[in-house]
């Protein structure tokens, strides 16, 4: 059977290029449609991205490992970039069975992204989004498959609410929370109530897109502010930990999260220093580590192509995790944790690390699409 034809909106950006590097070798999906701003529209894809970033992680077949230097498939370089605003072009391909769904990696005004993603969905094209625009839309699930895959079950209600036939929208959360959400969920899942979380993030420059933070602002420096990031870090986990009820996602009431988000001169990989306070029942450090070691991806029997075999990897060395050494673990999809120890203010503390453009962006989006295929929503 042939591969499922997919599109990437925002294909020329940092995340869009990472999508195309991951899709170049994907077993189920094939990129056939690339779209971006009117600035890029009409150019061949390889011309539109010439001189832009191209620092994607992908599988190096010769050395048989994941590394940098990944790029799009040769035939993608010859695609003409479409104007993402020209939904009719994509709808025509969809009607002919030549486009199944799109990944959205658009960076533009939030309301404009929301309206555009809704136009794609209304035209019958499912949207698997990275953008923040629809994260707080009530009937749109914000998915991390290992944590809340069941929230995808809201899709029929979403279609019904909007009168959409085939289209729908799902989103993935902000990259800043990926370094600790799976470890926290693993503990919650074992019955340890999460009361309060104190988190300080050290976020890579690639998180700001291309061209991103001016080099003279960030080299030899730490910038203790990233617009909107602390709010997302504190609030998005509550939707993800929420429950599906009557066609809606009801947010969890806890944990209360306090976040400090910093931009640091690292290319890829967001690090988070996390302190956690539990409810009455508190796990010891050994129990925490054994829960994380045993935690498995979204039902293991349906192992998804992009899913890490071990979603949480524990490093015992005193100086790990480190972005350069640990960000590509398990295809860039694992969270690497270290320095797991008691906390004198709360109960435990640890350092978590995840790759922001893979697990935190394109890899997370591909994993969401794999989940939706497995659940029968796309294909
Ligand atoms: P980026 O490098 O700035 O890329 C932005 C993309 O959006 C480009 O393809 C650009 O096309 C396109 N675009 C801009 N204005 C447009 C318009 N008016 N109409 C249509 N397309 C337009 O940004 P990024 O870092 O890839 O981020 C993309 C999305 O992912 C954002 O919503 C971001 O918040 C989210 N995200 C990013 C990360 C990360 O680590 N970078 C992590 C998680 C989520 P042109 O090239 O033609 O201008």
């Amino acid at each position: 059977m042939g591969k499922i034809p997919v599109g990437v909106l925002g294909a020329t950006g940092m995340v869009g290029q990472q999508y195309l590097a991951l899709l170049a070798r994907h077993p189920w999906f094939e990129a056939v449609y690339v779209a971006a701003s009117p600035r890029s529209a009409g150019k061949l894809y390889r011309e539109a991205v010439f001189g832009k970033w191209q620092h994607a992680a992908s599988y190096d077949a010769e050395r048989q490992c994941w590394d940098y230097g990944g790029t799009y498939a040769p035939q993608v370089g010859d695609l003409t970039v479409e104007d993402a605003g020209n939904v009719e072009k994509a709808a025509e391909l969809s009607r002919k069975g030549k486009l199944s769904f799109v990944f959205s990696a658009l960076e533009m005004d939030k309301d404009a992204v929301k309206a555009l993603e809704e136009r794609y969905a209304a035209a019958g094209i499912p949207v698997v989004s990275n953008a923040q625009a629809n994260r707080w839309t009530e009937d749109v699930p914000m998915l991390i498959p290992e944590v809340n895959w069941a929230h995808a079950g809201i899709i029929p209600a979403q279609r019904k609410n909007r009168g959409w036939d085939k289209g729908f929208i799902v989103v993935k959360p902000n990259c800043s929370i990926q370094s600790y959400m799976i470890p926290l969920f693993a503990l919650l899942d074992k019955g340890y109530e999460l009361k309060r979380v104190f988190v300080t993030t050290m976020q890579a420059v690639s998180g700001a897109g291309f061209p991103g933070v001016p080099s003279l602002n960030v080299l030899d420096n730490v910038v203790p502010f990233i617009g909107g990031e602390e709010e997302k870090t504190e609030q998005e986990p509550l939707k993800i930990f929420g429950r599906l009820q009557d066609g809606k996602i009801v947010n969890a009431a806890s944990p209360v999260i306090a976040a400090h988000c910093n931009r640091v001169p690292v290319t890829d990989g967001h690090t988070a220093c996390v302190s956690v306070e539990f409810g009455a029942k508190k796990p010891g450090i050994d129990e925490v580590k054994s829960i994380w070691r045993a935690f498995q991806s979204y039902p293991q029997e349906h192992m998804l192509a992009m899913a890490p075999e071990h979603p949480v990897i524990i490093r015992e060395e005193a100086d790990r995790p480190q972005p350069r050494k640990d960000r590509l673990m398990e295809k860039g999809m694992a969270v690497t944790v270290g320095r797991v120890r008691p906390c004198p203010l709360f109960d435990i503390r640890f350092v978590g690390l995840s790759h922001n453009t893979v697990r935190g962006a394109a890899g997370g989006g591909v994993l969401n699409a794999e989940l939706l295929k497995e659940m029968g929503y796309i294909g």
Side-chain angles (χ1 to χ4, degrees):
M1 208 175 79
K3 291 187 183 178
I4 296 172
V6 309
V8 180
L9 313 180
T12 51
M14 181 86 71
V15 175
Q17 291 187 59
Q18 181 64 71
Y19 265 118
L20 288 156
L22 297 180
L23 292 170
R25 291 173 196 283
H26 197 275
W28 303 341
F29 306 138
E30 182 183 4
V32 297
Y33 177 83
V34 287
S37 79
R39 293 179 290 278
S40 302
K43 295 180 185 168
L44 294 182
Y45 183 73
R46 67 181 134 77
E47 292 167 356
V49 295
F50 180 78
K52 279 192 184 177
W53 189 61
Q54 298 188 358
H55 180 59
S58 75
Y59 190 73
D60 181 328
E62 242 168 66
R63 292 194 293 134
Q64 298 196 353
C65 67
W66 279 69
D67 207 341
Y68 286 95
T71 190
Y72 48 85
Q75 64 275 20
V76 169
D78 293 332
L79 291 176
T80 299
V81 179
E82 303 293 340
D83 177 351
N86 183 6
V87 180
E88 185 44 40
K89 172 81 195 204
E92 193 187 321
L93 289 174
S94 164
R95 281 193 295 272
K96 291 178 180 162
K98 292 182 177 171
L99 181 68
S100 173
F101 69 94
V102 292
F103 293 105
S104 164
L106 294 164
E107 176 64 70
M108 49 198 257
D109 173 76
K110 200 172 143 188
D111 291 340
V113 174
K114 190 170 192 301
L116 190 51
E117 289 183 348
E118 286 174 355
R119 282 176 57 210
Y120 275 86
I125 304 169
V127 180
V128 178
S129 181
N130 263 70
Q132 59 167 313
N134 270 301
R135 286 192 197 143
W136 285 99
T137 310
E138 216 176 21
D139 57 5
V140 171
M142 193 182 335
L143 299 173
I144 300 179
E146 291 91 339
V147 176
N148 64 339
W149 62 270
H151 285 193
I154 202 172
I155 289 171
Q158 184 196 118
R159 282 176 167 156
K160 194 166 164 226
N161 293 344
R162 320 293 189 92
W164 293 340
D165 172 21
K166 278 172 58 197
F168 60 84
I169 301 171
V170 305
V171 296
K172 56 162 290 307
N174 200 49
C175 47
S176 62
I177 71 172
Q178 309 279 342
S179 309
Y180 60 87
M181 278 302 281
I182 294 177
L184 289 186
F185 173 72
L187 301 172
L188 186 64
D189 196 41
K190 287 289 175 196
Y192 293 107
E193 182 200 352
L194 305 169
K195 275 187 82 176
R196 294 192 293 175
V197 173
F198 181 85
V199 58
T200 299
T201 67
M202 288 158 281
Q203 301 185 208
V205 285
S206 63
F210 186 88
V213 194
S215 57
L216 286 177
N217 284 356
V218 76
L219 289 176
D220 187 30
N221 205 10
V222 170
V223 182
F225 174 72
I226 308 174
E229 209 79 346
E230 287 169 358
E231 294 78 358
K232 293 178 209 164
T233 307
E234 292 171 356
Q235 292 160 16
E236 290 182 9
L238 300 178
K239 181 168 183 181
I240 295 163
F241 288 149
R243 61 182 198 286
L244 261 191
Q245 189 183 302
D246 304 329
K248 288 191 177 144
I249 296 162
V250 181
N251 287 0
S254 63
V256 176
I257 302 175
H260 294 266
C261 294
N262 304 282
R263 187 73 71 196
V264 297
V266 165
T267 51
D268 296 308
H270 289 353
T271 304
C273 295
V274 188
S275 284
V276 187
E277 181 185 37
F278 298 102
K281 188 176 147 204
K282 298 178 192 294
I285 297 296
D286 288 344
E287 167 76 349
V288 167
K289 287 185 184 177
S290 90
I291 289 172
W292 285 344
R293 278 199 192 94
F295 186 73
Q296 293 198 323
S297 278
Y298 158 80
Q300 195 78 5
E301 64 273 19
H302 301 293
M303 191 78 183
L304 303 173
M306 200 65 201
E309 197 178 338
H310 304 287
V312 183
I313 292 173
I314 303 177
R315 300 296 315 205
E316 295 292 357
E317 301 92 322
D319 62 352
R320 300 286 278 275
Q322 294 180 19
R324 275 207 324 237
K325 292 181 176 169
D326 298 307
R327 62 191 165 203
L328 281 179
M329 292 303 293
E330 294 258 5
K331 306 169 266 193
M333 292 297 283
V335 176
T336 305
V337 296
R339 309 214 61 224
V340 192
R341 61 210 194 280
C343 174
L345 286 178
F346 287 178
D347 294 315
I348 64 152
R349 54 188 158 157
F350 64 94
V351 181
L353 168 84
S354 71
H355 194 304
N356 55 295
T357 68
V358 184
R359 165 53 85 165
V366 172
L367 186 64
N368 282 346
E370 292 172 354
L371 169 74
L372 296 166
K373 177 188 172 292
E374 190 69 26
M375 293 177 83
Y377 290 115
I378 54 179

